[in-house]
Amino acid sequence: MAKKKNNSAVSLITLVDQKAKAAEQYRTIRSNIQFSSVDRELKSIVVTSSGPSEGKSTTSANLAIVFANGGKKVLLVDADLRKPTLALTFKIPNPDGLSTLLGDREATCEKYAIETAIPNLAILPSGPKPPNPSELLDSKRMTEVLKQMNDYYDLVIFDMPPVVTVTDAQILAAKTDGTLLVVRERKTSKQGILKAHELLKIANANILGVIYNGAKSQSSSSYYYYG
Ligand SMILES: Nc1ncnc2c1ncn2[C@@H]1O[C@H](COP(=O)(O)OP(=O)(O)OP(=O)(O)O)[C@@H](O)[C@H]1O
Ligand SMILES: [Mg+2]
C-alpha cells in the first residue's frame, strides 16, 4: 500500500477549462501584474504565503500557464525544496531539478528544465530533497543560476515554502524582481498576513500585491489586490 503523502497535485484550472471563472481570474491577475510594473521589466517572481496550504503552488502553476499562454517564455521553478509538488501536478519526473542544478557547477538551467506540452512553459522540478535548503538558496551559485534563468527565459516564477515558517522565500524575494503574497479565504489569519508582510519588507522584497485565494464555492476563485 502506498504511504499517504502530504505532497499532492493541485488543480490546473487554466489548462483544464480556459473558460472557467477561475481561469479568467488568473488572466486578470496576469494583466494586473504586468500593469503593476510598467516601468521596470519583471523577469522573476516569487510566490509565497504566510503559512502552509494557502495556495502558493496552485497560484504559481496557474500563473505560469497563463503567462505562457500570453506568449512569454516561462520557467516555473519548484523552489519549495522541503515540500515539492510541481512534478506531481504536471506529471513530470523529478530525479533532478533545482537542487541538482545548484550542486552541478558546470550545468546551466536548460540542462534540468523540462519542456511541457504547454507551449512556452518549461518546469524546473525541485530535485532530491537537500539537507540544507536555505543555505542552497542563499548561495552565490543560486545568484548565478538566477542570472542564467533571467537570460534564457522571459519570466521565471518560483513556487516557495511559507515565509513565516522558514526563511527560503525571504532569501529568494531579496534576489528577484517581485513577490506575490497568497492569502487564503478562511485560512490565513490577519496576524499571519502582517507577519508575512513584515518579513518580506525586512528582506527588501518588491511586494507586487496580494492574491486572494478563495474557496467559497466549488469553483476556486482568486482575486488580486495591489500592494
Ligand atoms: N481556491 C481553491 N479552491 C479549492 N481548493 C484549493 C484552492 N486553492 C488551493 N486549493 C487546494 O488546497 C491544497 C493546498 O493548495 P496548494 O498546494 O496550492 O497550497 P500551498 O500553499 O502550495 O501549500 P504548501 O504550503 O503545502 O506548499 C491543494 O490540495 C489545492 O488543490
Ligand atoms: Mg506548495
Side-chain angles (χ1 to χ4, degrees):
M1 279 277 116
K3 211 166 77 180
K4 188 171 183 295
K5 285 184 91 179
N6 266 336
N7 308 29
S8 56
V10 301
S11 151
L12 297 177
I13 187 71
T14 47
L15 196 63
V16 177
D17 181 3
Q18 296 202 0
K19 291 205 182 79
K21 193 175 154 211
E24 180 55 40
Q25 285 165 341
Y26 283 113
R27 288 191 291 272
T28 303
I29 293 169
R30 175 186 64 192
S31 310
N32 288 345
I33 291 171
Q34 279 161 341
F35 289 133
S36 76
S37 185
V38 280
D39 292 331
R40 192 175 137 199
E41 206 191 354
L42 208 62
K43 299 272 294 176
S44 53
I45 299 179
V46 153
V47 178
T48 190
S49 74
S50 63
S53 301
E54 292 174 327
K56 298 174 284 298
S57 300
T58 307
T59 303
S60 47
N62 283 288
L63 279 182
I65 292 171
V66 294
F67 271 108
N69 288 162
K72 275 196 197 296
K73 192 169 150 77
V74 179
L75 178 68
L76 173 61
V77 182
D78 200 337
D80 190 341
L81 300 173
R82 301 159 194 273
K83 206 180 150 197
T85 55
L86 291 184
L88 272 168
T89 296
F90 286 89
K91 300 187 173 66
I92 55 172
N94 187 20
D96 292 314
L98 180 61
S99 62
T100 333
L101 175 61
L102 291 173
D104 182 354
R105 301 195 57 80
E106 309 293 304
T108 56
C109 53
E110 309 95 84
K111 179 170 176 189
Y112 298 109
I114 298 172
E115 293 296 332
T116 64
I118 304 155
N120 296 320
L121 179 63
I123 294 177
L124 182 65
S126 63
K129 205 169 280 184
N132 53 347
S134 309
E135 268 173 55
L136 272 185
L137 298 174
D138 209 9
S139 62
K140 278 206 195 106
R141 171 72 181 145
M142 180 68 217
T143 309
E144 195 180 294
V145 161
L146 183 61
K147 197 181 168 300
Q148 281 174 12
M149 291 170 170
N150 282 336
D151 287 344
Y152 199 80
Y153 297 93
D154 298 327
L155 180 68
V156 188
I157 299 180
F158 292 94
D159 180 17
M160 301 291 315
V163 66
V164 173
T165 326
V166 288
T167 185
D168 304 12
Q170 268 181 304
I171 293 168
L172 280 201
K175 295 184 193 241
T176 48
D177 300 334
T179 298
L180 293 170
L181 186 64
V182 178
V183 165
R184 181 135 182 210
E185 160 90 7
R186 274 174 294 164
K187 186 147 184 110
T188 314
S189 65
K190 189 178 168 191
Q191 241 185 340
I193 302 173
L194 293 175
K195 187 72 197 167
H197 186 257
E198 185 193 329
L199 290 169
L200 290 171
K201 280 282 163 200
I202 291 170
N204 234 333
N206 174 25
I207 303 173
L208 300 172
V210 171
I211 291 176
Y212 187 78
N213 180 27
K216 261 186 192 157
S217 62
Q218 277 197 318
S219 64
S220 60
S221 55
S222 308
Y223 303 93
Y224 180 84
Y225 295 105
Y226 283 99

